[in-house]
């Protein structure tokens, strides 16, 4: 029996685990893939207090080091089901764990365009991670799809590696931060294609050779980077009555859900601002509030 089980080893879950460990709780972290979560896919982080600039994977590594140094227990197992009673039961692919409190910090995954053969070419011409795959397109032309801060910042990252970036957005105005918009606009090798959408992939001999736009135009690119938002990771909660909106978990000002003893923090929750700094603080706050109960 644990005091607290935390689902997700992104910055929110790890931040919570540090506070829980320091509060003397018996805590277990569960993660289905790599510790660090979404930040593993961010090229450069320059808006986290106290850190002038760090790559996402380096920050993820530091977080994981901290977990190990503090002796926080973790298991790399996928959560498949959760049963919420007085005790919280968490089933994984390998085991069943029970705790008094549960914190869901499972984050969200990239949304895809829904194009024909999109899944087939994922990892083979289509990517959701410029940091992971950008180097494959050195000296080639690529397309970035989206108009938020992710599309803008990753287009900037790619512009330093590849020959040319086409930034394709379905509206006239970008949704992302002003500083990023100005930087993108000043880059010589980023061409903006606005008010347009990708309707299909152009392929040849089982390789991506371009994209076809709504206006019928073909753009020749070897790589396509999709940054059109996210889907929250809440599939394993289908047997619960946790209140959600569009898949995002609803929490109160203490980060508690509608179910007593069940908290949620970070990108899996419904909120206005999705930043690394508030994901970290929410995890910490959730634990502080649960220890005050
Ligand atoms: P956003 O939800 O902010 O933006 C998604 C973009 O994709 C929108 O421009 C949207 O267009 C477009 N889009 C959505 N669906 C489709 C579709 N089917 N076809 C074409 N375009 C589509 O997601 P982000 O990942 O950019 O950002 C998420 C959060 O993370 C934000 O809060 C952002 O501020 C933050 N962030 C901050 C960074 C930083 O601080 N440097 C870096 C990266 C992210 P439309 O506008 O028309 O809806």
């Amino acid at each position: 029996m644990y005091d607290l089980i935390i689902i997700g080893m992104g910055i929110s879950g790890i931040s919570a685990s540090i506070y829980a460990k320091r509060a003397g709780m018996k805590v277990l972290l569960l993660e289905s893939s790599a510790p660090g979560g979404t930040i593993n896919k961010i090229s450069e982080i320059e808006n986290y207090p106290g850190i002038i600039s760090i790559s996402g994977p380096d920050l993820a590594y530091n977080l994981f080091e901290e977990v190990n140094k503090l002796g926080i227990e973790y298991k790399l197992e996928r959560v498949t089901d959760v049963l919420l009673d007085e005790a919280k039961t968490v089933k994984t692919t390998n085991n069943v764990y029970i705790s008094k409190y549960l914190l869901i910090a499972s984050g969200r995954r990239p949304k895809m365009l829904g194009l024909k053969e999109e899944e087939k070419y994922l990892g083979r011409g289509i990517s959701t991670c410029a940091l992971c795959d950008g180097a494959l397109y050195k000296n080639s032309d690529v397309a970035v799809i989206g108009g938020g801060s992710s599309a803008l910042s990753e287009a900037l990252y790619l512009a330093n590696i590849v020959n040319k970036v086409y930034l394709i957005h379905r509206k006239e105005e970008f949704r992302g931060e002003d500083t990023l918009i100005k930087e993108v606009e000043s880059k010589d090798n980023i061409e903006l294609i606005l008010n347009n959408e990708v309707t299909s992939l152009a392929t040849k001999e089982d390789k991506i050779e371009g994209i076809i736009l709504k206006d019928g135009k073909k753009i020749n690119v070897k790589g396509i980077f999709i940054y059109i938002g996210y889907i929250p990771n809440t599939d394993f909660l289908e047997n619960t009555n946790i209140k959600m909106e569009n898949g995002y978990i609803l929490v109160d000002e203490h980060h508690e859900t509608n179910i007593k003893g069940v908290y949620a923090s970070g990108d899996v929750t419904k909120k206005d601002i999705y930043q690394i700094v508030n994901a970290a603080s929410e995890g910490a706050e959730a634990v502080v509030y649960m220890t005050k109960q």
Side-chain angles (χ1 to χ4, degrees):
M1 176 89 176
Y2 290 91
D3 294 317
L4 169 64
I5 292 176
I6 301 171
I7 301 176
M9 281 179 83
I11 195 160
S12 198
I14 289 182
S15 166
S17 74
I18 294 167
Y19 274 72
K21 184 78 183 182
R22 289 168 64 92
M25 293 172 100
K26 184 170 157 57
V27 57
L28 172 67
L29 278 163
L30 294 170
E31 166 62 51
S32 60
S33 56
T38 302
I39 57 173
N40 279 302
K41 292 187 170 187
I42 301 175
S43 45
E44 216 56 46
I45 296 161
E46 296 183 337
N47 56 3
Y48 197 82
I51 299 175
I52 292 163
S53 181
I54 191 167
S55 79
D58 281 350
L59 182 56
Y61 181 80
N62 290 350
L63 289 165
F64 189 43
E65 279 261 293
E66 212 168 342
V67 166
N68 284 316
K69 200 168 160 224
L70 290 171
I72 298 169
E73 188 179 349
Y74 69 89
K75 309 250 185 216
L76 298 179
E77 294 172 18
R78 175 177 293 280
V79 175
T80 53
D81 200 5
V82 166
L83 302 172
L84 304 174
D85 253 313
E86 187 65 28
K88 320 300 174 210
T89 304
V90 179
K91 293 184 185 173
T92 71
T93 36
N94 311 54
N95 282 300
V96 178
Y97 303 101
I98 298 170
S99 65
K100 183 173 177 201
Y101 296 108
L102 179 66
L103 175 69
I104 303 157
S106 48
R108 50 189 189 162
R109 60 186 183 276
K111 202 166 106 181
M112 301 302 284
L113 286 163
L115 302 172
K116 193 172 167 223
E117 296 200 306
E118 193 175 34
E119 292 299 326
K120 175 180 166 187
Y121 287 100
L122 189 61
R124 298 173 47 215
I126 296 181
S127 172
T128 57
C129 179
L131 179 65
C132 322
D133 301 328
L136 300 172
Y137 304 98
K138 205 167 186 268
N139 304 323
S140 303
D141 293 351
V142 301
V144 172
I145 324 293
S149 290
S150 298
L152 294 165
S153 61
E154 301 312 307
L156 285 166
Y157 172 75
L158 287 165
N160 290 329
I161 304 174
V162 304
N163 179 54
K164 180 171 181 172
V165 177
Y166 293 93
L167 178 55
I168 302 164
H169 178 38
R170 64 183 177 183
K171 286 200 185 118
E172 182 73 33
E173 302 289 333
F174 286 111
R175 191 196 284 207
E177 281 174 44
D178 285 346
T179 45
L180 293 172
I181 298 172
K182 286 199 183 87
E183 259 190 90
V184 159
E185 285 172 344
S186 68
K187 269 275 182 198
D188 289 341
N189 65 340
I190 300 182
E191 182 177 330
L192 304 183
I193 300 179
L194 304 175
N195 289 317
N196 220 325
E197 283 175 58
V198 181
T199 52
S200 59
L201 302 171
T203 59
K204 194 175 173 187
E205 290 165 1
D206 228 19
K207 284 200 177 113
I208 296 280
E209 63 159 19
I211 45 179
I212 312 294
L213 301 181
K214 200 165 77 178
D215 62 7
K217 201 171 159 196
K218 181 181 170 200
I219 309 280
N220 292 320
V221 288
K222 288 205 174 131
I224 303 162
F225 291 84
I226 301 173
Y227 287 103
I228 59 164
Y230 296 90
I231 298 168
N233 294 319
T234 50
D235 315 14
F236 56 88
L237 295 174
E238 65 180 18
N239 290 325
T240 73
N241 292 321
I242 294 178
K243 279 196 184 142
M244 296 184 206
E245 194 178 307
N246 297 324
Y248 286 91
I249 298 174
L250 299 175
V251 290
D252 66 13
E253 69 276 22
H254 296 154
H255 310 290
E256 192 168 20
T257 68
N258 58 309
I259 312 258
K260 197 165 163 42
V262 179
Y263 292 71
S265 65
D267 286 5
V268 74
T269 59
K270 167 87 184 142
K271 55 183 178 171
D272 291 332
I273 300 165
Y274 292 84
Q275 294 287 303
I276 298 170
V277 71
N278 66 333
S281 81
E282 288 158 18
E285 283 178 8
V287 171
V288 172
Y289 286 125
M290 73 183 70
T291 53
K292 280 185 173 169
Q293 269 196 358

